[in-house]
Amino acid sequence: MIHLEEAIRRILEQIPCLGLERLSFQQAQGRVLGEDIPAPRNIPPWDNSAMDGYAVRWRDIRAASPEKPVVLKVLADLPAGRTFKGRLGPGEALRIMTGAPLPRSVDTVVQVESTERSGANVKIFAGPGKGKNIRLAGEDVKTGDLVLAKGTVLQPAHIGMLASFQRSVVYVYQQPRVAILATGDELLEIDEPLKEGKIVNSNSYTITAQVAACGGLPIQLGIAKDRMEDLLSKIQQGLVADLLVTSGGVSVGDYDLVKEMLKKLGKINFWKVAMRPGQPLAFGLISEKPLFGLPGNPVSSMVSFEQFVRPAILKMSGHQNLFRPTLKACLREEIEKKAGLVHFIRCRLSREGEKIYASTTGEQGSGILSSMVKAQGLIVLPRDLTRARAGEEVQTILLDPMFFHSPLPSYLSLPGGRQKKS
Ligand code: AMP
Ligand code: MG
């Protein structure tokens, strides 16, 4: 049996980062960028107006005031998308809209609110500072700026920047293909009629969803009987994938064949980790492909996936940050355990002001899948701890990505600001 940290270290050491693939930028959301993308040009490409108003030569309007407005002749209208090739002479202006490129001879834009148009002329009532209301070329990004760096996890703003760069195709890290095999003579497929002594294979589907949720591409291999030939042939089919995951058949029962299979086809690195749930766990390589033999109990399978397979999939996909966020939470109840194993306790989380509270989901048996249905997090109780008291702070892995969402954020909950007490 090895410690959790050692197991994770040994796994990540064996996990390669996959190669790159070319992808339309529109499909690249959530993927990890595989190249540095410097700005190919200035954005905006030219100085342009930040306001609707009048483009002027500052020296013509510097003295303008409400009492003594300056009158200028309007040479042309310049909507966004149009350019003006001429030059402004003394006493001349252009009507200009937000985003329209600024002609060279112009150095200032007067906002429309400080003007009054009459026919071919405009009255300027206030002279803004020189250079006001202008967006300068390159004020967003300058040619060569490393705006999108290799390793970036692409989000909507990055996709928008790629569009501005006219980069329709990008290199991203490949998504790992993950072969998933359930094992066990007791398992029924979900569309088979129920029979005495048989249970429905749920693990394949949980694992499929877990793989997809962290960006892998699941490949279902179905169910292998607890017979070596069946296990060997199904696993060999799975070698088309980048990573293999099995469930069940990994402890010390007479029909637990996954370790034997791993030894026959490849090399076992370890089995058994000092944790609960999920103590039996086989890890090794078959033809360079990592194989995770997860335990069969639905909760153990899920928790072991969280601990070991998810970080591996993220690493393969080019991610740097492989682990979920953890929170310090205040325990609502006392929990006792034996020393020797790290415990992962399924919990509900709640917020009171800045403080987060954790309460267990109750029965922690490794077959109680409904406890995972309820769980928003996993309390982590260290190996040597034997008791955590109510009110104590504990480390908690946040599983529920929606936990910090709210029906109404506090900045919206004070309409009209703070009410005066009467
Ligand atoms: P095993 O690790 O093969 O001894 O399996 C332990 C227990 O996990 C079994 O008795 C089943 O109740 C359960 N189990 C195993 N495989 C699955 C599966 N694919 N789906 C749901 N439960 C399973
Ligand atoms: Mg079994």
Side-chain angles (χ1 to χ4, degrees), residues 182-189 192 195-201 223-231 234 247-249 254-257:
T183 73
D185 287 347
E186 76 277 31
L187 299 178
L188 291 175
E189 266 311 350
E192 282 184 86
K195 271 191 233 140
E196 207 179 326
K198 304 277 180 186
I199 61 164
V200 178
N201 164 26
I223 300 169
K225 294 277 177 217
D226 290 321
R227 270 185 284 109
M228 192 52 86
E229 318 82 77
D230 199 26
L231 201 51
K234 295 233 159 72
S247 102
D254 292 345
Y255 299 95
D256 290 335
L257 302 172

Side-chain angles (χ1 to χ4, degrees), residues 180-182 189 201-209 220 222-223 247:
I180 299 161
L181 179 66
E189 266 311 350
N201 164 26
S202 61
N203 287 354
S204 286
Y205 301 93
T206 318
I207 296 168
T208 297
Q220 289 186 356
I223 300 169
S247 102

Side-chain angles (χ1 to χ4, degrees), residues 252-266:
V252 289
D254 292 345
Y255 299 95
D256 290 335
L257 302 172
V258 168
K259 281 171 284 164
E260 281 309 307
M261 173 277 290
L262 191 48
K263 281 182 200 154
K264 267 195 199 327
L265 289 181

Side-chain angles (χ1 to χ4, degrees), residues 57-310:
R57 297 153 18 119
W58 181 72
R59 72 194 100 130
D60 290 348
I61 56 106
R62 63 207 281 188
S65 68
E67 299 75 37
K68 277 192 157 178
V70 171
V71 179
L72 301 176
K73 184 172 172 227
V74 181
L75 284 194
D77 261 12
L78 202 50
R82 200 74 73 68
T83 56
F84 179 74
K85 294 283 184 255
R87 279 190 75 84
L88 289 195
E92 291 176 339
L94 292 170
R95 176 84 172 108
I96 196 164
M97 304 301 163
T98 306
L102 225 59
R104 261 181 206 287
S105 47
V106 161
D107 58 15
T108 301
V109 171
V110 182
Q111 63 193 85
V112 75
E113 291 84 348
S114 309
T115 68
E116 188 184 287
R117 181 79 178 256
S118 69
N121 294 332
V122 61
K123 274 189 199 161
I124 310 284
F125 294 105
K130 189 174 182 183
K132 280 279 170 189
N133 303 324
I134 291 172
R135 301 171 183 153
L136 296 175
E139 75 171 25
D140 185 356
V141 300
K142 293 197 173 45
T143 309
D145 281 356
L146 185 54
V147 183
L148 301 168
K150 183 172 173 163
T152 302
V153 184
L154 294 169
Q155 297 299 328
H158 307 116
I159 305 289
M161 192 56 82
L162 288 168
S164 309
F165 291 176
Q166 296 180 300
R167 272 296 296 261
S168 53
V169 174
V170 290
Y171 278 104
V172 294
Y173 287 92
Q174 289 168 21
Q175 293 173 286
R177 290 158 300 170
V178 180
I180 299 161
L181 179 66
T183 73
D185 287 347
E186 76 277 31
L187 299 178
L188 291 175
E189 266 311 350
I190 51 168
D191 49 3
E192 282 184 86
L194 298 178
K195 271 191 233 140
E196 207 179 326
K198 304 277 180 186
I199 61 164
V200 178
N201 164 26
S202 61
N203 287 354
S204 286
Y205 301 93
T206 318
I207 296 168
T208 297
Q210 286 182 297
V211 167
C214 62
L217 298 171
I219 303 169
Q220 289 186 356
L221 301 177
I223 300 169
K225 294 277 177 217
D226 290 321
R227 270 185 284 109
M228 192 52 86
E229 318 82 77
D230 199 26
L231 201 51
L232 289 175
S233 81
K234 295 233 159 72
I235 281 296
Q236 266 151 347
Q237 289 167 29
L239 289 174
V240 293
D242 301 300
L243 185 156
L244 296 92
V245 180
T246 63
S247 102
V250 80
S251 53
V252 289
D254 292 345
Y255 299 95
D256 290 335
L257 302 172
V258 168
K259 281 171 284 164
E260 281 309 307
M261 173 277 290
L262 191 48
K263 281 182 200 154
K264 267 195 199 327
L265 289 181
K267 201 158 176 247
I268 194 161
N269 188 310
F270 63 82
W271 90 276
K272 258 190 150 186
V273 182
M275 64 186 264
R276 174 169 298 160
Q279 192 171 344
L281 176 111
F283 173 71
L285 297 178
I286 300 177
S287 316
E288 311 280 298
K289 306 281 173 80
L291 181 140
F292 293 82
L294 305 182
N297 276 308
V299 175
S300 313
S301 165
M302 282 195 82
V303 171
S304 304
F305 185 99
E306 273 294 322
Q307 287 305 308
F308 307 113
V309 188
R310 185 175 185 274

